[in-house]
Amino acid sequence: MTTLTHRGRRADISRNADKRPEGEEDSELDMQVGEGDAGDSKDIRLTLMEEVLLLGLKDKEGYTSFWNDCISSGLRGGILMELAMRGRIQLEPQTLRKKRLLDRKVLLKSDAPTGDVLLDETLRHLKATEPAETVQTWIELLTGETWNPFKLQYQLRNVRERIAKNLVEKGILTTEKQNFLLFDMTTHPVTNTTEKQRLVKKLQESVLDRWVNDPHRMDKRTLALLILAHASDVLENVFSSLADEKYDVAMNRSKDLLDRDPEVEATKTGSMEMIWAVLAAFNKS
């Protein structure tokens, strides 16, 4: 996993209610996806995976950095967070013999379709797997990082391209072909820069003007996205447009969030265990 780096001065400074039927609840959770904080655009609703990829894409070129080898696992972690937020999965309950987040299995709460191809494919894998696996194991399986040939079937293929196509359908990206000497590559330049800037501004404000110094008072999707952006090595893209002073504040506050002990944070009132379990998995990798 990447570590937070600071811009050198520009780079030297920081180096130093009533229960409703399950299907109805699932549907309501899906409707809430992407709404975020008050004031956010309600017209375009993005999944966490779509937001991470959008942050990682070069606007004009339409592809992520060739040197970024973190985004694949970051996107898979986003899938698990998204499914938990939609009420489809959860960590196994704690018992008297307390288990660490990384030792607890991922359990299926509901296999109701979400309408998202990647999420529904992952749900099918979860449903078919016995015994259940941990968060870290699922990130590895979905990424294809396993030595067990019988578990290669769980790898999600062409994830970036499939997410990009979703963003094309939502009017945020377009599709082009670029020639790179020896090969042609499909790229997806950003066409709706307003939506990307809205996303960047939301993350910047969460650690600047709207900073609350407590992850449990933050919007859960914003907290999850900050963690995923860091794990996917795209957080620098979010803060790069800030002036030096604000950049340093934003990076220091983000570091404070990411350095918290997931085991402690997951036990606090109002926390979502899956967010902290995914962070714990990234910390260990």
Side-chain angles (χ1 to χ4, degrees):
M1 178 172 156
T2 60
T3 54
L4 281 177
T5 57
H6 285 257
R7 186 184 283 165
R9 196 123 244 96
R10 296 194 157 192
D12 297 335
I13 292 180
S14 341
R15 284 184 186 167
N16 295 300
D18 286 337
K19 186 174 178 60
R20 279 169 278 190
E22 186 176 87
E24 185 177 327
E25 289 183 342
D26 294 339
S27 177
E28 185 171 307
L29 285 168
D30 291 337
M31 289 289 289
Q32 294 170 358
V33 169
E35 289 187 0
D37 297 332
D40 285 353
S41 167
K42 302 295 192 304
D43 296 330
I44 303 177
R45 294 178 177 177
L46 304 182
T47 64
L48 289 170
M49 307 87 73
E50 291 166 349
E51 290 177 331
V52 169
L53 184 64
L54 184 57
L55 292 174
L57 284 174
K58 300 173 185 290
D59 288 6
K60 293 182 180 179
E61 293 86 346
Y63 52 81
T64 58
S65 170
F66 291 125
W67 311 112
N68 188 339
D69 59 356
C70 304
I71 197 167
S72 291
S73 57
L75 292 172
R76 271 67 172 189
I79 288 173
L80 295 179
M81 286 186 183
E82 188 76 41
L83 286 172
M85 289 183 176
R86 294 184 184 221
R88 301 310 199 272
I89 62 174
Q90 65 180 17
L91 293 183
E92 65 177 322
Q94 281 284 21
T95 60
L96 291 177
R97 189 175 181 180
K98 298 285 186 181
K99 286 185 178 181
R100 298 183 312 142
L101 289 170
L102 293 182
D103 293 331
R104 293 164 65 187
K105 308 294 185 181
V106 178
L107 302 182
L108 188 68
K109 286 179 64 178
S110 168
D111 62 354
T114 65
D116 180 277
V117 175
L118 284 172
L119 295 179
D120 291 343
E121 184 177 340
T122 304
L123 278 179
R124 290 194 294 273
H125 289 325
L126 285 158
K127 186 177 181 179
T129 303
E130 188 63 41
E133 301 284 4
T134 64
V135 167
Q136 185 170 17
T137 298
W138 270 117
I139 291 175
E140 293 169 353
L141 291 176
L142 296 174
T143 310
E145 297 177 356
T146 175
W147 292 101
N148 187 338
F150 297 106
K151 294 195 173 183
L152 287 174
Q153 61 182 313
Y154 298 127
Q155 180 181 2
L156 297 178
R157 302 182 184 278
N158 303 318
V159 168
R160 289 186 221 189
E161 183 63 23
R162 291 158 76 182
I163 295 173
K165 286 182 177 178
N166 287 346
L167 290 170
V168 170
E169 291 175 359
K170 293 179 179 181
I172 297 175
L173 306 180
T174 189
T175 301
E176 295 179 358
K177 287 279 188 182
Q178 288 197 30
N179 181 270
F180 289 87
L181 295 179
L182 298 177
F183 61 94
D184 290 333
M185 186 173 79
T186 300
T187 61
H188 297 284
V190 178
T191 54
N192 187 341
T193 54
T194 300
E195 182 63 21
K196 182 167 183 177
Q197 287 306 311
R198 180 198 67 79
L199 183 60
V200 168
K201 183 180 178 183
K202 180 179 77 169
L203 290 181
Q204 290 177 350
E205 288 182 344
S206 71
V207 291
L208 292 172
D209 299 339
R210 302 175 70 178
W211 174 245
V212 293
N213 198 28
D214 179 0
H216 305 288
R217 292 171 55 203
M218 292 180 68
D219 170 66
K220 287 183 173 58
R221 294 189 68 85
T222 302
L223 172 63
L225 186 56
L226 281 170
I227 290 172
L228 293 171
H230 171 57
S232 303
D233 200 15
V234 300
L235 193 57
E236 169 69 21
N237 299 357
V238 175
F239 299 143
S240 60
S241 62
L242 294 171
D244 284 350
E245 184 177 346
K246 288 188 174 182
Y247 176 93
D248 289 337
V249 171
M251 292 301 273
N252 285 329
R253 288 175 175 173
S254 298
K255 185 176 186 300
D256 176 65
L257 279 177
L258 296 160
D259 284 347
R260 291 175 181 249
D261 185 347
E263 299 291 342
V264 173
E265 300 303 325
T267 63
K268 295 183 178 179
T269 303
S271 72
M272 175 167 279
E273 290 182 324
M274 189 62 69
I275 292 177
W276 299 105
V278 170
L279 176 59
F282 287 141
N283 287 345
K284 188 175 180 181
S285 62

Tab-separated table of all heavy atoms in Angstrom, residues 210-265:
chain	number	residue	atom	x	y	z
A	210	ARG	N	-14.614	21.574	6.197
A	210	ARG	CA	-15.623	20.774	6.909
A	210	ARG	C	-14.977	19.707	7.798
A	210	ARG	O	-15.598	18.715	8.133
A	210	ARG	CB	-16.577	20.139	5.891
A	210	ARG	CG	-17.269	21.168	5.023
A	210	ARG	CD	-18.121	20.558	3.940
A	210	ARG	NE	-19.308	19.897	4.473
A	210	ARG	CZ	-20.239	19.319	3.730
A	210	ARG	NH1	-20.122	19.318	2.404
A	210	ARG	NH2	-21.274	18.749	4.277
A	211	TRP	N	-13.746	19.929	8.161
A	211	TRP	CA	-13.009	18.973	8.994
A	211	TRP	C	-13.641	18.877	10.379
A	211	TRP	O	-13.905	19.890	11.027
A	211	TRP	CB	-11.560	19.419	9.113
A	211	TRP	CG	-10.702	18.615	10.046
A	211	TRP	CD1	-10.118	19.042	11.202
A	211	TRP	CD2	-10.300	17.242	9.887
A	211	TRP	NE1	-9.380	18.042	11.774
A	211	TRP	CE2	-9.474	16.917	10.993
A	211	TRP	CE3	-10.553	16.268	8.943
A	211	TRP	CZ2	-8.913	15.652	11.163
A	211	TRP	CZ3	-10.002	15.009	9.101
A	211	TRP	CH2	-9.196	14.720	10.199
A	212	VAL	N	-13.897	17.652	10.841
A	212	VAL	CA	-14.542	17.455	12.144
A	212	VAL	C	-13.640	16.716	13.128
A	212	VAL	O	-14.003	16.542	14.291
A	212	VAL	CB	-15.865	16.672	11.989
A	212	VAL	CG1	-16.891	17.508	11.243
A	212	VAL	CG2	-15.639	15.334	11.291
A	213	ASN	N	-12.463	16.282	12.693
A	213	ASN	CA	-11.476	15.645	13.561
A	213	ASN	C	-12.021	14.388	14.242
A	213	ASN	O	-11.606	14.041	15.348
A	213	ASN	CB	-10.962	16.628	14.625
A	213	ASN	CG	-9.648	16.155	15.240
A	213	ASN	OD1	-8.875	15.457	14.588
A	213	ASN	ND2	-9.418	16.511	16.495
A	214	ASP	N	-12.975	13.738	13.603
A	214	ASP	CA	-13.546	12.501	14.152
A	214	ASP	C	-14.156	11.713	12.997
A	214	ASP	O	-15.166	12.135	12.424
A	214	ASP	CB	-14.617	12.829	15.197
A	214	ASP	CG	-15.248	11.565	15.785
A	214	ASP	OD1	-14.870	10.440	15.386
A	214	ASP	OD2	-16.143	11.703	16.652
A	215	PRO	N	-13.557	10.574	12.627
A	215	PRO	CA	-14.062	9.822	11.475
A	215	PRO	C	-15.506	9.361	11.627
A	215	PRO	O	-16.200	9.149	10.633
A	215	PRO	CB	-13.111	8.622	11.380
A	215	PRO	CG	-12.490	8.506	12.734
A	215	PRO	CD	-12.404	9.908	13.255
A	216	HIS	N	-15.990	9.258	12.860
A	216	HIS	CA	-17.345	8.765	13.090
A	216	HIS	C	-18.397	9.859	12.949
A	216	HIS	O	-19.593	9.577	12.960
A	216	HIS	CB	-17.422	8.093	14.459
A	216	HIS	CG	-16.393	7.003	14.608
A	216	HIS	ND1	-16.498	5.803	13.948
A	216	HIS	CD2	-15.218	6.976	15.288
A	216	HIS	CE1	-15.439	5.061	14.235
A	216	HIS	NE2	-14.654	5.747	15.024
A	217	ARG	N	-17.935	11.099	12.794
A	217	ARG	CA	-18.851	12.198	12.498
A	217	ARG	C	-18.797	12.576	11.021
A	217	ARG	O	-19.544	13.451	10.582
A	217	ARG	CB	-18.495	13.419	13.363
A	217	ARG	CG	-18.760	13.214	14.863
A	217	ARG	CD	-18.175	14.359	15.675
A	217	ARG	NE	-18.667	15.659	15.226
A	217	ARG	CZ	-18.028	16.813	15.443
A	217	ARG	NH1	-16.862	16.806	16.076
A	217	ARG	NH2	-18.538	17.937	15.008
A	218	MET	N	-17.927	11.914	10.279
A	218	MET	CA	-17.824	12.169	8.844
A	218	MET	C	-18.888	11.374	8.091
A	218	MET	O	-19.357	10.341	8.569
A	218	MET	CB	-16.433	11.753	8.323
A	218	MET	CG	-15.295	12.608	8.824
A	218	MET	SD	-13.700	12.021	8.153
A	218	MET	CE	-13.906	12.428	6.408
A	219	ASP	N	-19.246	11.859	6.923
A	219	ASP	CA	-20.082	11.078	6.020
A	219	ASP	C	-19.336	9.786	5.700
A	219	ASP	O	-18.154	9.805	5.345
A	219	ASP	CB	-20.334	11.883	4.740
A	219	ASP	CG	-20.981	11.051	3.661
A	219	ASP	OD1	-22.131	10.625	3.855
A	219	ASP	OD2	-20.327	10.821	2.623
A	220	LYS	N	-20.006	8.657	5.839
A	220	LYS	CA	-19.320	7.363	5.698
A	220	LYS	C	-18.769	7.137	4.297
A	220	LYS	O	-17.701	6.549	4.127
A	220	LYS	CB	-20.267	6.222	6.093
A	220	LYS	CG	-20.505	6.119	7.596
A	220	LYS	CD	-21.381	4.930	7.950
A	220	LYS	CE	-21.464	4.742	9.465
A	220	LYS	NZ	-21.992	5.926	10.151
A	221	ARG	N	-19.488	7.589	3.289
A	221	ARG	CA	-18.986	7.414	1.928
A	221	ARG	C	-17.743	8.263	1.686
A	221	ARG	O	-16.818	7.847	0.981
A	221	ARG	CB	-20.069	7.735	0.895
A	221	ARG	CG	-21.246	6.768	0.922
A	221	ARG	CD	-22.181	6.985	-0.245
A	221	ARG	NE	-21.569	6.631	-1.517
A	221	ARG	CZ	-21.544	5.390	-2.013
A	221	ARG	NH1	-22.064	4.384	-1.332
A	221	ARG	NH2	-20.981	5.163	-3.181
A	222	THR	N	-17.711	9.453	2.277
A	222	THR	CA	-16.538	10.306	2.132
A	222	THR	C	-15.341	9.690	2.833
A	222	THR	O	-14.224	9.671	2.291
A	222	THR	CB	-16.821	11.709	2.697
A	222	THR	OG1	-17.953	12.272	2.021
A	222	THR	CG2	-15.624	12.625	2.523
A	223	LEU	N	-15.550	9.164	4.039
A	223	LEU	CA	-14.475	8.484	4.765
A	223	LEU	C	-13.968	7.290	3.971
A	223	LEU	O	-12.751	7.097	3.815
A	223	LEU	CB	-14.985	8.020	6.136
A	223	LEU	CG	-14.038	7.127	6.952
A	223	LEU	CD1	-12.759	7.878	7.303
A	223	LEU	CD2	-14.745	6.639	8.225
A	224	ALA	N	-14.894	6.488	3.452
A	224	ALA	CA	-14.503	5.314	2.667
A	224	ALA	C	-13.703	5.729	1.433
A	224	ALA	O	-12.692	5.096	1.094
A	224	ALA	CB	-15.750	4.534	2.249
A	225	LEU	N	-14.120	6.809	0.768
A	225	LEU	CA	-13.437	7.244	-0.444
A	225	LEU	C	-12.031	7.758	-0.143
A	225	LEU	O	-11.099	7.524	-0.925
A	225	LEU	CB	-14.261	8.312	-1.159
A	225	LEU	CG	-13.737	8.766	-2.524
A	225	LEU	CD1	-13.563	7.579	-3.466
A	225	LEU	CD2	-14.682	9.798	-3.140
A	226	LEU	N	-11.861	8.447	0.971
A	226	LEU	CA	-10.517	8.900	1.359
A	226	LEU	C	-9.583	7.702	1.565
A	226	LEU	O	-8.436	7.707	1.113
A	226	LEU	CB	-10.590	9.734	2.646
A	226	LEU	CG	-11.050	11.187	2.498
A	226	LEU	CD1	-11.308	11.799	3.870
A	226	LEU	CD2	-10.008	12.011	1.736
A	227	ILE	N	-10.084	6.673	2.232
A	227	ILE	CA	-9.285	5.472	2.470
A	227	ILE	C	-8.959	4.784	1.150
A	227	ILE	O	-7.804	4.383	0.901
A	227	ILE	CB	-10.037	4.514	3.419
A	227	ILE	CG1	-10.092	5.113	4.834
A	227	ILE	CG2	-9.381	3.135	3.451
A	227	ILE	CD1	-10.980	4.346	5.793
A	228	LEU	N	-9.948	4.655	0.281
A	228	LEU	CA	-9.734	3.985	-1.006
A	228	LEU	C	-8.818	4.795	-1.921
A	228	LEU	O	-7.992	4.225	-2.643
A	228	LEU	CB	-11.073	3.748	-1.702
A	228	LEU	CG	-12.011	2.750	-1.014
A	228	LEU	CD1	-13.383	2.774	-1.677
A	228	LEU	CD2	-11.429	1.338	-1.048
A	229	ALA	N	-8.951	6.118	-1.898
A	229	ALA	CA	-8.092	6.971	-2.725
A	229	ALA	C	-6.641	6.819	-2.293
A	229	ALA	O	-5.732	6.754	-3.142
A	229	ALA	CB	-8.538	8.426	-2.624
A	230	HIS	N	-6.410	6.753	-1.003
A	230	HIS	CA	-5.046	6.548	-0.500
A	230	HIS	C	-4.523	5.174	-0.889
A	230	HIS	O	-3.409	5.039	-1.414
A	230	HIS	CB	-5.025	6.702	1.022
A	230	HIS	CG	-3.723	6.305	1.639
A	230	HIS	ND1	-2.533	6.875	1.274
A	230	HIS	CD2	-3.429	5.375	2.587
A	230	HIS	CE1	-1.551	6.330	1.978
A	230	HIS	NE2	-2.071	5.408	2.769
A	231	ALA	N	-5.336	4.138	-0.685
A	231	ALA	CA	-4.913	2.769	-1.006
A	231	ALA	C	-4.659	2.599	-2.502
A	231	ALA	O	-3.824	1.796	-2.908
A	231	ALA	CB	-5.972	1.778	-0.541
A	232	SER	N	-5.383	3.364	-3.321
A	232	SER	CA	-5.258	3.268	-4.775
A	232	SER	C	-4.205	4.222	-5.332
A	232	SER	O	-4.016	4.296	-6.554
A	232	SER	CB	-6.607	3.577	-5.435
A	232	SER	OG	-7.613	2.708	-4.971
A	233	ASP	N	-3.531	4.947	-4.451
A	233	ASP	CA	-2.474	5.882	-4.844
A	233	ASP	C	-2.993	6.992	-5.751
A	233	ASP	O	-2.320	7.391	-6.707
A	233	ASP	CB	-1.323	5.131	-5.533
A	233	ASP	CG	-0.015	5.936	-5.519
A	233	ASP	OD1	0.066	6.912	-4.755
A	233	ASP	OD2	0.909	5.590	-6.286
A	234	VAL	N	-4.187	7.503	-5.453
A	234	VAL	CA	-4.728	8.620	-6.233
A	234	VAL	C	-5.073	9.816	-5.341
A	234	VAL	O	-5.645	10.793	-5.822
A	234	VAL	CB	-5.968	8.193	-7.055
A	234	VAL	CG1	-5.608	7.084	-8.034
A	234	VAL	CG2	-7.125	7.762	-6.165
A	235	LEU	N	-4.732	9.750	-4.063
A	235	LEU	CA	-5.069	10.844	-3.154
A	235	LEU	C	-4.296	12.110	-3.512
A	235	LEU	O	-4.800	13.217	-3.347
A	235	LEU	CB	-4.793	10.443	-1.702
A	235	LEU	CG	-5.372	11.350	-0.620
A	235	LEU	CD1	-6.883	11.486	-0.770
A	235	LEU	CD2	-5.032	10.817	0.779
A	236	GLU	N	-3.087	11.947	-4.010
A	236	GLU	CA	-2.296	13.098	-4.452
A	236	GLU	C	-3.042	13.879	-5.532
A	236	GLU	O	-2.989	15.112	-5.568
A	236	GLU	CB	-0.943	12.616	-4.976
A	236	GLU	CG	-0.129	13.674	-5.705
A	236	GLU	CD	0.392	14.784	-4.811
A	236	GLU	OE1	0.491	14.572	-3.590
A	236	GLU	OE2	0.688	15.869	-5.364
A	237	ASN	N	-3.764	13.169	-6.399
A	237	ASN	CA	-4.536	13.840	-7.454
A	237	ASN	C	-5.603	14.751	-6.867
A	237	ASN	O	-5.966	15.769	-7.463
A	237	ASN	CB	-5.216	12.809	-8.359
A	237	ASN	CG	-4.231	11.903	-9.068
A	237	ASN	OD1	-3.028	12.066	-8.932
A	237	ASN	ND2	-4.732	10.953	-9.822
A	238	VAL	N	-6.124	14.381	-5.700
A	238	VAL	CA	-7.191	15.158	-5.060
A	238	VAL	C	-6.655	16.473	-4.506
A	238	VAL	O	-7.308	17.522	-4.614
A	238	VAL	CB	-7.837	14.339	-3.927
A	238	VAL	CG1	-8.868	15.179	-3.167
A	238	VAL	CG2	-8.478	13.070	-4.475
A	239	PHE	N	-5.462	16.445	-3.936
A	239	PHE	CA	-4.929	17.618	-3.231
A	239	PHE	C	-3.934	18.431	-4.052
A	239	PHE	O	-3.494	19.498	-3.607
A	239	PHE	CB	-4.262	17.182	-1.926
A	239	PHE	CG	-5.188	16.491	-0.956
A	239	PHE	CD1	-4.739	15.431	-0.173
A	239	PHE	CD2	-6.513	16.882	-0.833
A	239	PHE	CE1	-5.598	14.788	0.727
A	239	PHE	CE2	-7.373	16.251	0.048
A	239	PHE	CZ	-6.914	15.203	0.835
A	240	SER	N	-3.555	17.957	-5.225
A	240	SER	CA	-2.479	18.607	-5.984
A	240	SER	C	-2.798	20.042	-6.399
A	240	SER	O	-1.886	20.848	-6.594
A	240	SER	CB	-2.135	17.781	-7.230
A	240	SER	OG	-3.274	17.663	-8.077
A	241	SER	N	-4.076	20.380	-6.525
A	241	SER	CA	-4.446	21.734	-6.957
A	241	SER	C	-4.455	22.739	-5.808
A	241	SER	O	-4.616	23.943	-6.045
A	241	SER	CB	-5.832	21.714	-7.616
A	241	SER	OG	-6.824	21.297	-6.684
A	242	LEU	N	-4.278	22.279	-4.585
A	242	LEU	CA	-4.324	23.167	-3.421
A	242	LEU	C	-3.040	23.982	-3.299
A	242	LEU	O	-1.968	23.549	-3.704
A	242	LEU	CB	-4.518	22.353	-2.144
A	242	LEU	CG	-5.849	21.615	-1.981
A	242	LEU	CD1	-5.787	20.689	-0.772
A	242	LEU	CD2	-7.001	22.595	-1.836
A	243	ALA	N	-3.164	25.170	-2.713
A	243	ALA	CA	-1.983	25.957	-2.370
A	243	ALA	C	-1.167	25.197	-1.333
A	243	ALA	O	-1.693	24.347	-0.609
A	243	ALA	CB	-2.409	27.322	-1.833
A	244	ASP	N	0.124	25.512	-1.240
A	244	ASP	CA	1.030	24.740	-0.389
A	244	ASP	C	0.535	24.577	1.048
A	244	ASP	O	0.562	23.487	1.608
A	244	ASP	CB	2.415	25.401	-0.358
A	244	ASP	CG	3.188	25.139	-1.639
A	244	ASP	OD1	2.735	24.296	-2.441
A	244	ASP	OD2	4.237	25.766	-1.830
A	245	GLU	N	0.086	25.676	1.648
A	245	GLU	CA	-0.336	25.618	3.049
A	245	GLU	C	-1.535	24.691	3.230
A	245	GLU	O	-1.565	23.846	4.131
A	245	GLU	CB	-0.671	27.022	3.554
A	245	GLU	CG	-1.018	27.058	5.046
A	245	GLU	CD	-1.277	28.473	5.539
A	245	GLU	OE1	-0.943	29.435	4.813
A	245	GLU	OE2	-1.822	28.611	6.652
A	246	LYS	N	-2.529	24.830	2.360
A	246	LYS	CA	-3.712	23.973	2.448
A	246	LYS	C	-3.362	22.529	2.101
A	246	LYS	O	-3.927	21.585	2.666
A	246	LYS	CB	-4.816	24.491	1.525
A	246	LYS	CG	-5.479	25.769	2.022
A	246	LYS	CD	-6.697	26.117	1.176
A	246	LYS	CE	-7.431	27.316	1.764
A	246	LYS	NZ	-8.652	27.645	0.987
A	247	TYR	N	-2.439	22.354	1.157
A	247	TYR	CA	-2.001	21.008	0.789
A	247	TYR	C	-1.429	20.290	2.002
A	247	TYR	O	-1.765	19.131	2.279
A	247	TYR	CB	-0.955	21.100	-0.324
A	247	TYR	CG	-0.357	19.770	-0.733
A	247	TYR	CD1	-0.903	19.035	-1.786
A	247	TYR	CD2	0.764	19.265	-0.080
A	247	TYR	CE1	-0.345	17.830	-2.166
A	247	TYR	CE2	1.321	18.055	-0.448
A	247	TYR	CZ	0.766	17.341	-1.494
A	247	TYR	OH	1.322	16.137	-1.856
A	248	ASP	N	-0.563	20.969	2.744
A	248	ASP	CA	0.056	20.353	3.921
A	248	ASP	C	-0.977	20.017	4.988
A	248	ASP	O	-0.920	18.951	5.616
A	248	ASP	CB	1.125	21.281	4.510
A	248	ASP	CG	2.360	21.371	3.627
A	248	ASP	OD1	2.586	20.436	2.832
A	248	ASP	OD2	3.090	22.381	3.721
A	249	VAL	N	-1.947	20.923	5.203
A	249	VAL	CA	-3.006	20.668	6.184
A	249	VAL	C	-3.821	19.448	5.764
A	249	VAL	O	-4.105	18.557	6.570
A	249	VAL	CB	-3.927	21.905	6.328
A	249	VAL	CG1	-5.153	21.555	7.178
A	249	VAL	CG2	-3.164	23.058	6.960
A	250	ALA	N	-4.196	19.398	4.491
A	250	ALA	CA	-5.014	18.290	3.990
A	250	ALA	C	-4.280	16.964	4.124
A	250	ALA	O	-4.861	15.951	4.544
A	250	ALA	CB	-5.397	18.542	2.530
A	251	MET	N	-2.999	16.942	3.774
A	251	MET	CA	-2.234	15.704	3.860
A	251	MET	C	-2.040	15.269	5.311
A	251	MET	O	-2.132	14.076	5.634
A	251	MET	CB	-0.877	15.880	3.175
A	251	MET	CG	-0.969	16.040	1.668
A	251	MET	SD	-1.747	14.650	0.823
A	251	MET	CE	-0.364	13.575	0.572
A	252	ASN	N	-1.786	16.207	6.197
A	252	ASN	CA	-1.592	15.863	7.611
A	252	ASN	C	-2.874	15.312	8.234
A	252	ASN	O	-2.838	14.351	9.006
A	252	ASN	CB	-1.111	17.087	8.393
A	252	ASN	CG	0.347	17.412	8.122
A	252	ASN	OD1	1.147	16.522	7.855
A	252	ASN	ND2	0.696	18.693	8.179
A	253	ARG	N	-4.006	15.921	7.896
A	253	ARG	CA	-5.284	15.445	8.443
A	253	ARG	C	-5.657	14.082	7.859
A	253	ARG	O	-6.193	13.218	8.564
A	253	ARG	CB	-6.380	16.471	8.197
A	253	ARG	CG	-6.226	17.701	9.082
A	253	ARG	CD	-7.236	18.792	8.758
A	253	ARG	NE	-7.140	19.900	9.701
A	253	ARG	CZ	-7.804	21.040	9.585
A	253	ARG	NH1	-8.627	21.220	8.556
A	253	ARG	NH2	-7.656	21.992	10.492
A	254	SER	N	-5.370	13.885	6.588
A	254	SER	CA	-5.616	12.575	5.976
A	254	SER	C	-4.749	11.516	6.637
A	254	SER	O	-5.199	10.403	6.917
A	254	SER	CB	-5.318	12.624	4.473
A	254	SER	OG	-6.163	13.534	3.821
A	255	LYS	N	-3.505	11.870	6.896
A	255	LYS	CA	-2.592	10.933	7.555
A	255	LYS	C	-3.096	10.582	8.951
A	255	LYS	O	-3.015	9.418	9.390
A	255	LYS	CB	-1.191	11.531	7.636
A	255	LYS	CG	-0.127	10.588	8.188
A	255	LYS	CD	1.245	11.229	8.127
A	255	LYS	CE	2.312	10.223	8.546
A	255	LYS	NZ	2.144	9.705	9.912
A	256	ASP	N	-3.650	11.585	9.636
A	256	ASP	CA	-4.205	11.330	10.963
A	256	ASP	C	-5.332	10.306	10.897
A	256	ASP	O	-5.428	9.407	11.743
A	256	ASP	CB	-4.716	12.641	11.569
A	256	ASP	CG	-5.389	12.432	12.925
A	256	ASP	OD1	-4.697	12.031	13.876
A	256	ASP	OD2	-6.611	12.653	13.016
A	257	LEU	N	-6.186	10.432	9.892
A	257	LEU	CA	-7.283	9.472	9.714
A	257	LEU	C	-6.752	8.074	9.420
A	257	LEU	O	-7.167	7.079	10.010
A	257	LEU	CB	-8.187	9.915	8.571
A	257	LEU	CG	-9.240	10.978	8.837
A	257	LEU	CD1	-9.964	11.310	7.537
A	257	LEU	CD2	-10.239	10.516	9.883
A	258	LEU	N	-5.817	7.999	8.494
A	258	LEU	CA	-5.328	6.712	8.010
A	258	LEU	C	-4.425	6.009	9.012
A	258	LEU	O	-4.247	4.788	8.940
A	258	LEU	CB	-4.583	6.916	6.686
A	258	LEU	CG	-5.469	7.423	5.549
A	258	LEU	CD1	-4.630	8.051	4.443
A	258	LEU	CD2	-6.324	6.299	4.994
A	259	ASP	N	-3.852	6.773	9.950
A	259	ASP	CA	-2.977	6.178	10.968
A	259	ASP	C	-3.739	5.663	12.185
A	259	ASP	O	-3.148	5.069	13.082
A	259	ASP	CB	-1.933	7.204	11.434
A	259	ASP	CG	-0.817	7.389	10.416
A	259	ASP	OD1	-0.724	6.560	9.487
A	259	ASP	OD2	-0.052	8.367	10.542
A	260	ARG	N	-5.036	5.882	12.219
A	260	ARG	CA	-5.824	5.394	13.351
A	260	ARG	C	-5.873	3.874	13.348
A	260	ARG	O	-5.788	3.241	12.298
A	260	ARG	CB	-7.247	5.975	13.316
A	260	ARG	CG	-7.280	7.476	13.608
A	260	ARG	CD	-8.671	8.049	13.442
A	260	ARG	NE	-8.670	9.479	13.694
A	260	ARG	CZ	-9.237	10.072	14.740
A	260	ARG	NH1	-9.859	9.346	15.656
A	260	ARG	NH2	-9.188	11.380	14.887
A	261	ASP	N	-6.036	3.314	14.541
A	261	ASP	CA	-6.072	1.860	14.682
A	261	ASP	C	-7.448	1.345	14.260
A	261	ASP	O	-8.444	1.624	14.933
A	261	ASP	CB	-5.792	1.486	16.139
A	261	ASP	CG	-5.696	-0.018	16.349
A	261	ASP	OD1	-6.087	-0.788	15.451
A	261	ASP	OD2	-5.226	-0.432	17.427
A	262	PRO	N	-7.533	0.595	13.165
A	262	PRO	CA	-8.838	0.101	12.720
A	262	PRO	C	-9.563	-0.739	13.761
A	262	PRO	O	-10.797	-0.698	13.848
A	262	PRO	CB	-8.481	-0.747	11.484
A	262	PRO	CG	-7.198	-0.184	10.991
A	262	PRO	CD	-6.460	0.218	12.237
A	263	GLU	N	-8.816	-1.492	14.557
A	263	GLU	CA	-9.434	-2.340	15.573
A	263	GLU	C	-10.177	-1.502	16.609
A	263	GLU	O	-11.275	-1.862	17.052
A	263	GLU	CB	-8.370	-3.200	16.277
A	263	GLU	CG	-7.616	-4.144	15.372
A	263	GLU	CD	-8.482	-5.275	14.839
A	263	GLU	OE1	-9.566	-5.535	15.420
A	263	GLU	OE2	-8.092	-5.898	13.837
A	264	VAL	N	-9.589	-0.376	16.970
A	264	VAL	CA	-10.204	0.521	17.958
A	264	VAL	C	-11.392	1.248	17.332
A	264	VAL	O	-12.478	1.326	17.922
A	264	VAL	CB	-9.173	1.535	18.491
A	264	VAL	CG1	-9.856	2.569	19.390
A	264	VAL	CG2	-8.065	0.816	19.247
A	265	GLU	N	-11.190	1.787	16.136
A	265	GLU	CA	-12.236	2.580	15.491
A	265	GLU	C	-13.478	1.751	15.181
A	265	GLU	O	-14.604	2.238	15.237
A	265	GLU	CB	-11.701	3.221	14.205
A	265	GLU	CG	-10.520	4.164	14.414
A	265	GLU	CD	-10.832	5.291	15.369
A	265	GLU	OE1	-11.977	5.776	15.375
A	265	GLU	OE2	-9.927	5.691	16.131
